[in-house]
Amino acid sequence: MTVRTVVSGTTCLLTDAGGNVTDTGGFFVADTRHLSRWVLTVHGRALRALSSSADEVVLAPPTVRNENPPFVLRRGQLLGSGVLVEELTLTSFVPAPQTVRVALSAEADFSDQFELRSSRLFDKSDADRSVSATASEVVFSYSRRGFSRSTRITTSPPARLSGDGAQWTVTLPPHGSVTLRATVASSSAGSVALAPAPVAARGDDLDRCVARGLADLDSLRIPVADLVADLPPGAVVPAAGAPWFLTLFGRDSLLTSLFALPFRPELAEGTLRVLAATQGRAHDPARLEEPGKILHEMRQGELATLGEVPYGRYYGTVDATPLFLVLLAAHYALTGDELLAKDLEPAARAAIGWMLDSGGMAATGYLRYRTDGAGLVHHCWKDSADSLVFADGTLATGPIAVSEAQAYAYRALRGTADLARRAWGDPTWAASLDERADLLQQVFSADFRLPNAFVALALDGADRQVDALASNAGHVLWSGILDDSWAQLVAERLVADDFFSGWGIRTLAAGQAPYHPLSYHRGGVWPHDTALAVAGLARVGHTEAAARIASGLLAAAASAGGRLPEVLTGLERKAGQPPVPYPHSCSPQAWAAATPLLLRTVLEAH
């Protein structure tokens, strides 16, 4: 069972408590598994994990009660760009020398991450695989249809190497120590550097959660040079999350950078520049590219590279484009950076053009997406195939206008109008954008207000209100698109017990036919989703409710050392019990790591 996650940019290690890679783990680099087995034994036997953290595992030979182990082994696993450095330090506690046989067994299957998290089978019978061993290295190699990867293992001091891994036979001196090292380098390996030191926390739960979140964001940084050429050196973007999303995601990287803006403004600049550089230029239905559209994700693995999945450079998102504009306006408002604003003016104008044209606003009044194109069914943040449902459980079909995308569009229009006035000297365009925002607010009020005064989850392809009560309303509340009286009603309904689990806001209110507390998007609790609801509540004056909901998130983080996961189950909070984790949650995950940063900004402002 995988229980440890160590991450550095697009490099990730998933192990069990003892630091071993077995069936479900792996050493991953840029979506490819470079080690599918990495198991430590001493004298052919597994060791017992005495303690386990992302930084170090402490192990000892298994002994019976009242029998002291003769040595302890400290196992450090340091990640760099495409590199794993394994450091094994054995320390003796007996007065006689010991001969110890230490082995690391290795295999590399070079599986693509899409294979590992999908039930779909891919025919790779045409692949060439090999393993070679010399006195100085073991090399696993893989190639298929021009896609090639390799994994190279070296040791210090030299071990006996074979196609099965490495083995040392060492003499451990009395009460002394011996250190062994193995370096695993992928074919795209760079340098190894120590991870940034965590920011010191002061004392309370929010301080600890902020410190943990900043440290996690630092570990998830990706140099933009790894993604796109000809961008400023040193620029970085936040990867979406470990282990499956260690790459640029438009929506995730934008919201993460927005939450972190007062703390890590460089993330916003890197994200904006790389998304502008990859902005859609043409119409390409195979990857849903359209002129001016901001992409959803980039992938470098085998299946994406060979076109067997559409995600190499994929544009299946309705909300990344308005969020790009929201972040650009927020960055300018906070930093006054005119250089970035002027550099990205063409990209902003193209983004507005996409919203009005291909995005559907000029023709239909709303941003819409089809549900029958390449890749994902849904192009909003709740992108699982069963996420958008009516209250009776019926699935919504497209073209769909999802509520929060309209809210983001409203905020984008207002923010871009401000940029046009202050940074680009175009008051005429600014006025037209404000008029468009006014119109959007009017039609949204007419079309998305449910009979119970809550916000419709979406309008389906027949313009019917998708009436399930969903957390998306929190995003809408945050955006400012609701008039004051409607906002008060939405805020009051959003904090009711069927929404608030005690830890956070459920993605779907309990008691409805499609609700399930262990569902990814129909009942689970997402910290970033709840944080936007907190910001929305505070925006409309419900500060006590905002603080109460935030305290639930902070309590959930406190139960896990200050770290919030991607998603929790929607099960009700019980006194004295920690939150029940969602079984496939990513951790660390970018917008969950950035959630406490938004909470601090909101709570300190109100």
Side-chain angles (χ1 to χ4, degrees):
M1 179 181 178
T2 301
V3 296
R4 289 177 69 247
T5 303
V6 188
V7 62
S8 177
T10 59
T11 304
C12 181
L13 178 67
L14 302 180
T15 77
D16 63 16
N20 294 317
V21 170
T22 53
D23 294 340
T24 59
F27 171 55
F28 294 85
V29 182
D31 293 338
T32 298
R33 183 160 67 176
H34 281 262
L35 282 177
S36 50
R37 179 175 175 80
W38 186 244
V39 176
L40 171 69
T41 58
V42 175
H43 299 303
R45 300 175 63 195
L47 301 179
R48 175 183 296 164
L50 304 180
S51 69
S52 182
S53 70
D55 299 323
E56 182 183 69
V57 177
V58 180
L59 305 127
T63 57
V64 299
R65 185 175 177 83
N66 296 326
E67 179 185 348
N68 295 323
F71 64 85
V72 164
L73 188 152
R74 292 182 178 271
R75 184 177 196 181
Q77 294 172 317
L78 173 67
L79 295 188
S81 178
V83 180
L84 162 65
V85 177
E86 181 98 13
E87 185 171 273
L88 309 172
T89 299
L90 296 90
T91 301
S92 169
F93 297 105
V94 298
Q98 302 175 66
T99 299
V100 183
R101 189 174 76 253
V102 180
L104 283 166
S105 62
E107 294 176 7
D109 66 359
F110 298 99
S111 290
D112 189 285
Q113 63 96 12
F114 282 104
E115 294 177 81
L116 299 173
R117 64 187 183 97
S118 169
S119 59
R120 179 181 170 187
L121 297 178
F122 294 87
D123 181 9
K124 299 171 72 172
S125 58
D126 55 342
D128 292 323
R129 306 170 187 268
S130 65
V131 57
S132 63
T134 67
S136 60
E137 65 180 15
V138 180
V139 179
F140 297 90
S141 300
Y142 176 89
S143 64
R144 176 172 170 259
R145 293 170 49 194
F147 178 90
S148 62
R149 293 291 186 270
S150 65
T151 304
R152 178 173 177 264
I153 301 172
T154 56
T155 59
S156 174
R160 181 165 63 85
L161 301 175
S162 70
D164 296 324
Q167 181 175 297
W168 296 266
T169 301
V170 299
T171 299
L172 187 57
H175 299 290
S177 296
V178 169
T179 297
L180 311 172
R181 291 184 182 87
T183 300
V184 183
S186 70
S187 42
S188 56
S191 60
V192 180
L194 291 174
V199 178
R202 292 194 291 273
D204 62 18
D205 286 344
L206 180 55
D207 288 332
R208 284 189 289 271
C209 203
V210 165
R212 178 72 263 174
L214 289 170
D216 284 343
L217 286 179
D218 289 342
S219 74
L220 290 167
R221 289 172 175 236
I222 305 173
V224 296
D226 291 356
L227 302 168
V228 178
D230 302 323
L231 287 178
V236 292
V237 299
W244 306 122
F245 307 109
L246 287 174
T247 186
L248 173 72
F249 271 71
R251 176 193 310 117
D252 299 57
S253 297
L254 287 162
L255 278 176
T256 297
S257 299
L258 184 65
F259 291 7
L261 187 56
F263 303 83
R264 295 285 191 271
E266 68 276 13
L267 293 179
E269 179 172 358
T271 296
L272 289 165
R273 287 194 181 278
V274 76
L275 289 175
T278 56
Q279 190 172 26
R281 300 288 188 268
H283 290 275
D284 183 353
R287 56 186 186 182
L288 304 185
E289 180 182 4
E290 293 163 339
K293 193 177 188 182
I294 298 298
L295 65 71
H296 178 262
E297 67 181 289
M298 295 178 68
R299 293 288 188 174
Q300 299 170 294
E302 174 186 3
L303 299 179
T305 300
L306 299 181
E308 293 174 282
V309 296
Y311 304 113
R313 185 177 286 192
Y314 178 64
Y315 291 82
T317 168
V318 73
D319 50 16
T321 305
L323 286 172
F324 174 86
L325 296 167
V326 169
L327 180 61
L328 179 60
H331 183 273
Y332 180 76
L334 182 70
T335 68
D337 186 343
E338 293 192 356
L339 176 62
L340 181 68
K342 289 178 179 177
D343 283 351
L344 299 187
E345 181 183 356
R349 289 182 179 271
I352 291 288
W354 176 84
M355 289 168 58
L356 296 175
D357 185 10
S358 300
M361 290 189 70
T364 72
Y366 298 116
L367 289 180
R368 290 184 180 268
Y369 64 87
R370 296 177 63 90
T371 56
D372 57 356
L376 298 167
V377 172
H378 291 298
H379 299 175
C380 53
W381 86 261
K382 293 179 178 177
D383 57 6
S384 51
D386 63 352
S387 62
L388 266 61
V389 291
F390 289 83
D392 65 1
T394 304
L395 296 178
T397 56
I400 285 177
V402 68
S403 61
E404 78 277 9
Q406 319 317 318
Y408 301 157
Y410 174 81
R411 195 163 176 133
L413 289 166
R414 293 293 192 208
T416 309
D418 187 60
L419 283 167
R421 276 189 293 268
R422 297 175 56 201
W424 303 331
D426 192 343
T428 301
W429 192 43
S432 70
L433 292 172
D434 276 330
E435 288 175 7
R436 173 67 64 174
D438 291 340
L439 175 62
L440 177 58
Q441 187 174 37
Q442 292 169 12
V443 296
F444 187 89
S445 179
D447 295 340
F448 277 82
R449 183 167 178 146
L450 290 170
N452 59 17
F454 203 62
V455 179
L457 174 56
L459 303 180
D460 74 356
D463 280 336
R464 294 177 300 176
Q465 292 180 329
V466 181
D467 59 352
L469 303 183
S471 64
N472 306 53
H475 301 226
V476 175
L477 199 61
W478 163 76
S479 73
I481 195 173
L482 303 183
D483 63 49
D484 290 343
S485 60
W486 189 15
Q488 296 303 315
L489 295 173
V490 171
E492 291 167 7
R493 183 64 186 86
L494 191 61
V495 298
D497 289 344
D498 56 352
F499 266 120
F500 183 45
S501 72
W503 303 112
I505 301 293
R506 297 180 176 99
T507 44
L508 212 63
Q512 301 176 94
Y515 168 76
H516 193 303
L518 272 66
S519 169
Y520 202 49
H521 290 132
R522 290 187 291 108
V525 171
W526 289 64
H528 90 282
D529 182 41
T530 296
L532 282 169
V534 168
L537 291 166
R539 179 189 181 101
V540 299
H542 287 245
T543 54
E544 289 186 8
R548 180 167 63 91
I549 303 297
S551 70
L553 281 179
L554 296 175
S559 71
R563 173 183 283 171
L564 286 165
E566 174 190 23
V567 56
L568 300 162
T569 65
L571 293 169
E572 184 180 358
R573 182 176 180 177
K574 299 292 186 182
Q577 298 296 317
V580 178
Y582 180 79
H584 305 292
S585 179
C586 288
S587 186
Q589 197 255 4
W591 55 20
T595 285
L597 311 185
L598 179 60
L599 294 181
R600 165 148 283 166
T601 300
V602 169
L603 296 177
E604 290 186 349
H606 296 86

